[in-house]
Amino acid sequence: MAEMFERGESSGAVAVSTAMPSDYFELLKPRVMQLVVFTAISGLVIAPGELHPVLALIAILCIAIGAGASGALNMWFDSDIDAVMTRTANRPIPSGRVSRQEALAFGLTLSFFSVFVLGVLVNWLSAGLLAFTIFFYAVIYSMWLKRSTPQNIVIGGAAGAFPPIIGWAAVTNTVSLESLALFAIIFIWTPPHFWALALFKSGDYEKVGVPMMPNVVGNRSTQNQIFAYALLLAPVGVLPYLMGFAGLAYGIVSGAAGAAFVWFAFRCWKMPSDDKAMVPAKRLFAFSIVYLFVLFGTLILEAALPGLAALLG
Amino acid sequence: MTKPQQLADDGEMELKRRKAQRARNVAIALALGAFVILLYVATWSKLGVNAVVRPTL
């Protein structure tokens, strides 16, 4: 089968495909997928009603694969700028391990399968929401917003905020205020999370002409906005408790985590805008990931513990 | 580059390509197998006890 070659798109030369399965797995952005799965599980677990465990597992799998597919489509579209940025230069496409066409075909196939299987086996509302999420991330965010406005991740953040709504819809076949509250937490969390990263990676984004907030309005204005979003996030994070669908443990944990988030954002705000090391921004970025895991982890634990306790007798 | 060196490089590349192709084939086979099992288990889950009910002739 030595004649089975692929044509390298960039050079036009005949290139040999040496892509390993792990390269395709990398296209799915497994780290982002972890967060998506985690937040989707929370929607699924706290939703009122019942879903057969096998179908719940399939729903999570479909949401994870759908999120991965949108990641592959994002890497397909952004391969030109990924090659220039140090953070992304070693991704499968810019490093030459996977061709752009392969990534596109892979992303489209997985998108179709994840939506179709979720629709057939679970329900078509959750499948429709998953399809919209993939479209929003791949087309609205990656192809349009990312390179055209510094508000890219503010609006684009909606794509990352949908998984709990999909999880909730998989169980109840509805979209409710409760699931919208979970959406709001991730939506408000996204700007301070990404702008903290953009502060210490602004050189990378500037090199490729992506209008991230620090490159457009400067570090000082970005720091102000990060702090403003943190002040908004702290009360929004407590909403599940205030709305009555999370318990006291969540109320305490989310309140404390929100206060810590504001503290890290305050340290970032106080940081001189020309700081070279940007340590407070790095700490805020790291803590923002912990924050989301802690909030949604507590939600899951609170909802799952009584059932587990009953199961263990 | 000398001709023997070129041939050695080509051979190495061919070996790498074959290894990658085999790994991809195994991954596709496993994914398809998992998909079939998934549909089978999901059908049982959706049908529940009705799966063993046979219409009487």
Side-chain angles (χ1 to χ4, degrees):
Chain A
M1 302 292 275
E3 70 277 10
M4 284 184 68
F5 290 117
E6 287 171 17
R7 191 164 290 279
E9 191 181 65
S10 55
S11 61
V14 173
V16 173
S17 175
T18 53
M20 297 295 281
S22 57
D23 296 323
Y24 289 97
F25 184 67
E26 212 182 315
L27 281 177
L28 303 178
K29 296 193 176 180
R31 279 186 191 173
V32 178
M33 209 199 265
Q34 275 177 21
L35 207 63
V36 167
V37 166
F38 201 62
T39 54
I41 289 174
S42 73
L44 218 128
V45 167
I46 65 168
E50 281 184 9
L51 186 65
H52 192 287
V54 172
L55 298 180
L57 198 72
I58 289 170
I60 292 163
L61 196 69
C62 287
I63 296 168
I65 292 174
S70 60
L73 294 173
N74 169 272
M75 282 203 205
W76 160 73
F77 190 77
D78 278 347
S79 59
D80 56 337
I81 56 175
D82 281 352
V84 183
M85 301 206 302
T86 50
R87 190 172 65 88
T88 54
N90 201 32
R91 281 179 174 176
I93 303 175
S95 63
R97 305 197 302 276
V98 176
S99 73
R100 285 192 77 221
Q101 299 98 311
E102 281 177 312
L104 176 63
F106 187 61
L108 290 175
T109 307
L110 290 188
S111 298
F112 173 78
F113 265 92
S114 57
V115 170
F116 184 74
V117 171
L118 189 63
V120 168
L121 295 180
V122 182
N123 63 50
W124 285 103
L125 176 65
S126 54
L129 287 166
L130 180 63
F132 180 71
T133 306
I134 296 169
F135 170 79
F136 199 91
Y137 186 69
V139 179
I140 307 287
Y141 170 70
S142 300
M143 296 182 190
W144 177 33
L145 296 170
K146 187 173 178 178
R147 303 185 193 210
S148 60
T149 167
Q151 295 294 332
N152 47 17
I153 51 103
V154 178
I155 310 163
F162 267 107
I165 296 188
I166 304 171
W168 184 284
V171 179
T172 63
N173 207 9
T174 57
V175 174
S176 65
L177 273 179
E178 289 93 336
S179 61
L180 288 174
L182 300 180
F183 172 93
I185 294 173
I186 306 173
F187 187 71
I188 306 288
W189 166 88
T190 308
H193 167 74
F194 273 108
W195 286 339
L197 172 77
L199 278 174
F200 58 87
K201 291 282 181 189
S202 61
D204 255 8
Y205 288 111
E206 197 162 5
K207 228 167 24 179
V208 293
V210 172
M212 287 302 277
M213 198 56 85
N215 308 118
V216 178
V217 299
N219 287 358
R220 176 43 54 201
S221 174
T222 307
Q223 288 165 264
N224 293 343
Q225 293 190 60
I226 286 174
F227 190 52
Y229 269 97
L231 288 174
L232 188 62
L233 179 64
V236 168
V238 192
L239 269 182
Y241 170 68
L242 298 176
M243 289 171 72
F245 65 96
L248 184 63
Y250 176 84
I252 294 168
V253 169
S254 62
F261 198 103
V262 171
W263 170 249
F264 278 103
F266 176 73
R267 295 294 303 269
C268 183
W269 183 59
K270 291 283 282 179
M271 175 183 78
S273 54
D274 56 351
D275 194 306
K276 290 277 177 273
M278 297 260 175
V279 175
K282 287 174 185 169
R283 283 190 181 146
L284 173 63
F285 176 72
F287 180 74
S288 65
I289 298 167
V290 175
Y291 173 83
L292 212 62
F293 269 107
V294 165
L295 253 65
F296 283 87
T298 311
L299 265 180
I300 294 169
L301 276 178
E302 248 190 3
L305 273 182
L308 278 176
L311 203 72
L312 296 170
Chain B
M1 193 183 286
T2 61
K3 202 170 179 186
Q5 200 178 351
Q6 173 74 49
L7 284 172
D9 284 353
D10 286 350
E12 202 175 304
M13 200 62 188
E14 176 63 14
L15 208 66
K16 204 175 165 188
R17 189 191 67 81
R18 276 172 189 271
K19 197 180 159 194
Q21 194 172 41
R22 200 176 302 121
R24 290 201 301 266
N25 290 345
V26 170
I28 290 168
L30 287 175
L32 284 175
F35 186 60
V36 170
I37 293 167
L38 191 82
L39 287 183
Y40 184 74
V41 175
T43 307
W44 271 92
S45 309
K46 280 186 91 78
L47 287 176
V49 289
N50 295 322
V52 290
V53 175
R54 303 273 175 198
T56 49
L57 294 171

